[in-house]
């Protein structure tokens, strides 16, 4: 045990163990995030036998955990390779390149789990980009960027719903139909105020 402790504490192995730990942390985090989400969503919205539901929860959790673990491994490995190629110096574009490679190979398959992860990240990236003009003091306050961002997002989604509805994800499309299209139709006081249809 002492020999193992000596090896994992040795600075010359730090980068390799950082890759291993990134893999481990990606798997653990992916499982922690996906399991409760899959559990709740499956029992709320999926029908079928218990065995099928449990299998879906397991597969969704496994895929999310595995994807984050593999991505973390590729990312850390690419960062290490770029740093070594560059004489031990990390450049500002290295994380972008490492993220591109990992994103393409791990999240490039178009499936439900990957879509949810990418949409989550995309929304967070856009929110961060909205804050940059304020941080760089290009604009003096968030009141100048956030309202414009909110307006553009809502303008785009309403235009897409009206003219390119089939491009929207089914869950968004269903909620848009319920709120904006179904509100055009009623047959009685009951379907006007209490029930949609």
């Amino acid at each position: 045990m002492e020999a193992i402790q000596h090896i994992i504490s040795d600075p010359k192995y730090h980068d390799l163990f950082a890759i291993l730990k990134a893999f481990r942390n990606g798997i653990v985090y992916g499982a922690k995030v996906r399991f409760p989400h899959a559990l709740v969503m499956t029992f709320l919205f999926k029908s079928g036998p218990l065995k099928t539901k449990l299998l879906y929860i397991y597969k969704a959790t496994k895929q999310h955990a595995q994807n984050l673990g593999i991505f973390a491994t590729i990312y850390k490995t690419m960062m290490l390779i770029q740093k070594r190629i560059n004489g031990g110096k990390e450049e500002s574009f290295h994380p972008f390149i490492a993220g591109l490679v990992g994103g393409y190979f791990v999240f490039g398959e178009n499936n439900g789990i990957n879509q949810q992860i990418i949409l989550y990240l995309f929304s967070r990236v856009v929110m961060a980009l909205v804050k940059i003009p304020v941080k760089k003091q290009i604009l003096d306050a968030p009141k100048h960027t956030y309202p414009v961002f909110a307006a553009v997002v809502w303008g785009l989604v309403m235009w897409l719903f009206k003219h390119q509805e089939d491009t929207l994800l089914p869950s968004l499309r269903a909620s848009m139909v319920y709120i904006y299209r179904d509100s055009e139709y009623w047959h009685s006081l009951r379907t006007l105020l209490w029930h949609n249809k």
Side-chain angles (χ1 to χ4, degrees):
M1 203 50 134
E2 192 175 310
I4 292 172
Q5 183 63 37
H6 179 71
I7 291 170
I8 64 174
S9 299
D10 191 332
K12 71 180 178 184
Y13 299 117
H14 177 269
D15 291 337
L16 294 175
F17 285 121
I19 293 169
L20 177 66
K21 185 149 187 192
F23 174 73
R24 177 252 181 226
N25 285 2
I27 287 176
V28 169
Y29 187 81
K32 282 182 174 182
V33 168
R34 179 54 61 176
F35 177 75
H37 178 268
L39 181 71
V40 169
M41 297 305 281
T42 298
F43 282 103
L44 282 179
F45 298 111
K46 289 198 180 288
S47 58
L50 179 62
K51 183 178 180 181
T52 303
K53 290 178 180 179
L54 293 175
L55 185 61
Y56 173 78
I57 293 166
Y58 168 75
K59 285 182 177 180
T61 302
K62 179 183 174 192
Q63 183 183 357
H64 196 139
Q66 187 175 351
N67 284 4
L68 287 183
I70 293 170
F71 178 85
T73 302
I74 291 172
Y75 175 81
K76 290 289 227 174
T77 302
M78 288 298 300
M79 289 296 289
L80 179 60
I81 290 169
Q82 291 177 100
K83 186 176 176 181
R84 289 194 175 167
I85 289 172
N86 198 39
K89 184 176 180 232
E90 185 180 305
E91 298 289 344
S92 65
F93 63 88
H94 287 173
F96 180 74
I97 299 297
L100 278 177
V101 173
Y104 182 85
F105 287 108
V106 178
F107 294 101
E109 181 185 338
N110 189 0
N111 60 54
I113 302 294
N114 285 351
Q115 279 185 6
Q116 288 176 352
I117 294 168
I118 297 306
L119 288 172
Y120 173 84
L121 290 175
F122 180 75
S123 65
R124 276 30 181 205
V125 166
V126 171
M127 285 302 298
L129 291 174
V130 166
K131 295 175 184 178
I132 290 175
V134 175
K135 182 179 177 186
K136 300 276 186 184
Q137 297 180 342
I138 296 168
L139 296 174
D140 62 358
K143 67 182 180 181
H144 293 108
T145 57
Y146 189 78
V148 171
F149 168 64
V152 170
V153 168
W154 275 101
L156 286 171
V157 78
M158 297 314 293
W159 184 87
L160 286 167
F161 177 63
K162 190 73 169 174
H163 299 290
Q164 300 291 328
E165 180 182 331
D166 61 319
T167 63
L168 298 174
L169 288 173
S171 60
L172 175 58
R173 187 168 54 241
S175 62
M176 300 291 279
V177 165
Y178 182 83
I179 295 170
Y180 302 105
R181 190 169 298 145
D182 289 354
S183 63
E184 295 289 325
Y185 304 99
W186 60 91
H187 304 291
S188 64
L189 183 61
R190 180 177 178 267
T191 58
L192 177 65
L193 298 177
W194 289 283
H195 294 281
N196 187 38
K197 294 181 181 180

